[in-house]
């Protein structure tokens, strides 16, 4: 992991009131999807393309997460409501239909932090989930054609030592998983796809929060303060 810092140029893209979170782009980087949170903490889903801003699904309440697919035609959304009962749902939005089609894929735990990564071909995505607070986070794969999640990893039953995040390689032949070791250490696991056989692992002295493939040979490791190339 290189130790030198890189200067990154930044420029404003939006000017909404409030804050924007869960920003994602299509593979070209020309389309952005994000959540805007207003002063009353209501979440609004926006798409930005070619200088135009479009509000999507204004009737959808309790939005907590959104991620655009690489081909820009779909998005995974997480909604969480408290009344009449506390519920958490992972939904698929098909954005190139009128009106936008919504499909519920699975339920999620209201006290868990949902994280996912799309396959490069937009045919499915990897996500982490736990059954309850006494279980660790495991990595699952959702094939959008089959419509059923498949469990990939099975961490030992300790609440702290679960999976943090997962990312499939661009050719979808390998899966990288960031696995919690300590507050300052992360185990990077590399799995063969589609057999999901663990090939090797390497421990890094970083508290990794997210990971992404930069190219077939390099990963981007994201911590709270910096981004590293591995």
């Amino acid at each position: 992991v290189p130790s030198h810092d890189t200067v990154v140029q930044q420029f404003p893209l939006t000017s909404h009131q409030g804050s924007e979170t869960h920003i994602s782009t299509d593979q070209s980087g020309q389309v952005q999807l994000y959540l805007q949170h207003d002063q009353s903490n209501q979440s609004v889903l926006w798409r930005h393309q070619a200088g135009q801003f479009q509000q999507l699904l204004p009737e959808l309440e309790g939005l907590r997460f959104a991620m655009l697919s690489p081909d820009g035609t779909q998005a995974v959304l997480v909604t969480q409501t408290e009344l009449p009962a506390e519920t958490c749902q992972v939904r698929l939005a098909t954005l190139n239909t009128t009106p936008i089609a919504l499909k519920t894929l699975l339920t999620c735990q209201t006290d868990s932090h949902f994280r996912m990564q799309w396959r490069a071909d937009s045919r499915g995505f990897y996500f982490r989930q736990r059954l309850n607070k006494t279980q660790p986070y495991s990595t699952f794969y959702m094939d959008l054609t089959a419509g059923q999640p498949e469990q990939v990893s099975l961490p030992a039953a300790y609440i702290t030592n679960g999976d943090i995040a997962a990312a499939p390689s661009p050719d979808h032949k390998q899966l990288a998983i960031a696995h919690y070791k300590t507050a300052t250490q992360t185990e990077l696991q590399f799995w063969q796809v589609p057999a999901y056989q663990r090939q090797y692992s390497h421990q890094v002295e970083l508290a990794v929060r997210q990971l992404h493939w930069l190219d077939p040979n390099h990963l981007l490791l994201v911590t709270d303060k910096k981004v590293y190339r591995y």
Side-chain angles (χ1 to χ4, degrees):
V1 177
S3 59
H4 63 274
D5 293 334
T6 301
V7 177
V8 178
Q9 291 185 338
Q10 303 178 55
F11 57 91
L13 181 65
T14 66
S15 58
H16 300 295
Q17 295 293 321
S19 62
E20 290 95 43
T21 63
H22 298 294
I23 303 166
S24 58
T25 70
D26 67 348
Q27 199 162 29
S28 71
Q30 300 303 306
V31 183
Q32 296 86 39
L33 190 77
Y34 59 93
L35 295 181
Q36 175 217 351
H37 308 279
D38 61 22
Q39 295 178 347
S40 61
N41 204 31
Q42 296 298 312
S43 300
V44 181
L45 183 64
W46 288 92
R47 177 170 55 187
H48 173 257
Q49 183 175 10
Q52 300 296 316
F53 292 89
Q54 181 184 10
Q55 184 179 345
L56 306 178
L57 298 168
E59 74 283 358
L60 198 59
E61 297 182 354
L63 272 169
R64 296 291 184 268
F65 176 92
M67 179 172 278
L68 186 65
S69 64
D71 64 9
T73 66
Q74 304 173 97
V76 170
L77 310 175
V78 175
T79 58
Q80 188 171 327
T81 57
E82 296 180 357
L83 296 174
E86 196 173 38
T87 61
C88 181
Q89 292 184 320
V90 180
R91 301 182 178 187
L92 180 71
T94 304
L95 304 178
N96 57 355
T97 62
T98 304
I100 293 174
L102 272 177
K103 177 183 178 181
T104 299
L105 298 176
L106 56 113
T107 59
C108 46
Q109 296 296 317
T110 55
D111 59 358
S112 66
H113 186 185
F114 185 80
R115 290 177 181 168
M116 61 155 287
Q117 282 290 333
W118 281 96
R119 274 179 52 161
D121 58 11
S122 303
R123 294 181 180 178
F125 60 90
Y126 290 87
F127 65 100
R128 69 170 199 168
Q129 179 145 281
R130 64 183 181 187
L131 296 178
N132 53 57
K133 288 184 177 180
T134 67
Q135 300 295 317
Y137 282 104
S138 300
T139 298
F140 292 79
Y141 173 62
M142 172 63 78
D143 186 320
L144 294 179
T145 301
Q148 292 292 330
E150 176 184 2
Q151 187 167 351
V152 175
S153 69
L154 187 62
Y158 298 104
I159 184 172
T160 56
N161 290 31
D163 295 337
I164 301 168
S169 61
D171 59 7
H172 199 226
K173 293 182 179 180
Q174 200 172 35
L175 177 70
I177 295 178
H179 183 79
Y180 181 94
K181 296 296 289 184
T182 71
T184 58
Q185 296 175 327
T186 304
E187 182 183 47
L188 298 178
Q189 302 175 355
F190 295 88
W191 298 65
Q192 184 184 20
V193 178
Y196 295 123
Q197 295 178 344
R198 184 168 159 179
Q199 297 174 301
Y200 61 94
S201 61
H202 178 69
Q203 188 165 296
V204 294
E205 302 299 314
L206 297 170
V208 177
R209 302 290 183 237
Q210 292 281 0
L211 72 165
H212 307 271
W213 287 88
L214 181 62
D215 56 49
N217 299 311
H218 298 94
L219 282 171
L220 290 180
L221 307 180
V222 183
T223 67
D224 286 336
K225 296 182 178 180
K226 293 185 177 182
V227 178
Y228 299 85
R229 188 178 74 165
Y230 171 84

